[in-house]
Amino acid sequence: MRNDHVTLRSTAVFDLLAPRAPAVPVKVELRYDTRDPYAVVAAFRTGRAGWVEWVYARDLLADGLLAEAGDGDVRIRPSVEDPESVMIELNSPSGHAVFEASAQELADFLDRTYDVVLPGNEHLWIDLDDALTHLIPNDLG
């Protein structure tokens, strides 16, 4: 486990796509924190309501830059129409959204995460004792 935690942040604008409507730009903050080295966070600005956060695997982002990836709530794939764009599809019980984002911006962010934690070394950043403390109630006994 490492104690020198790092949080990376990057701001981007994704286009929210809807059938028969112009794309709507949405401010997105991408975050990577070594305390959860397998995940990335995309926080979407939703106007007055604040931010909506989606957490998904860093590997999913990497895979989705190259080919269709994901079979759950988050799916990422290169755009068929524009090789410089990536499509991000989010599904939840409250709705469905498709965003178009810059492949280069996402790749640059991903590269920055690799500068901090190399793929395959994520386990070196996990504090299992701390994780177990949060999972197991302290009042046993």
Side-chain angles (χ1 to χ4, degrees):
M1 180 205 65
R2 307 273 308 259
N3 288 322
D4 48 346
H5 291 288
V6 174
T7 301
L8 300 175
R9 297 176 190 274
S10 181
T11 302
V13 175
F14 292 3
D15 286 333
L16 175 61
L17 306 179
R20 299 171 303 281
V24 176
V26 176
K27 183 177 179 183
V28 179
E29 181 185 74
L30 300 169
R31 285 194 314 267
Y32 179 76
D33 190 327
T34 57
R35 288 181 184 91
D36 190 0
Y38 292 100
V40 294
V41 176
F44 295 83
R45 181 74 175 151
T46 60
R48 291 188 184 128
W51 296 85
V52 174
E53 292 187 350
W54 283 78
V55 180
Y56 51 91
R58 180 170 74 156
D59 287 347
L60 176 63
L61 178 58
D63 293 345
L65 288 171
L66 303 174
E68 189 168 333
D71 57 9
D73 294 341
V74 179
R75 296 175 187 203
I76 303 173
R77 67 184 179 282
S79 172
V80 175
E81 293 85 25
D82 181 1
E84 295 182 12
S85 295
V86 173
M87 309 305 290
I88 300 171
E89 184 176 355
L90 306 174
N91 289 293
S92 77
S94 61
H96 172 262
V98 177
F99 294 91
E100 185 173 29
S102 164
Q104 189 62 58
E105 282 185 51
L106 293 175
D108 290 346
F109 174 75
L110 194 59
D111 285 345
R112 288 179 52 217
T113 74
Y114 292 160
D115 289 341
V116 176
V117 178
L118 287 172
N121 286 340
E122 293 91 350
H123 67 283
L124 299 174
W125 291 80
I126 301 291
D127 181 348
L128 290 178
D129 291 332
D130 184 56
L132 288 173
T133 299
H134 287 90
L135 292 174
I136 299 173
N138 293 329
D139 59 353
L140 292 177

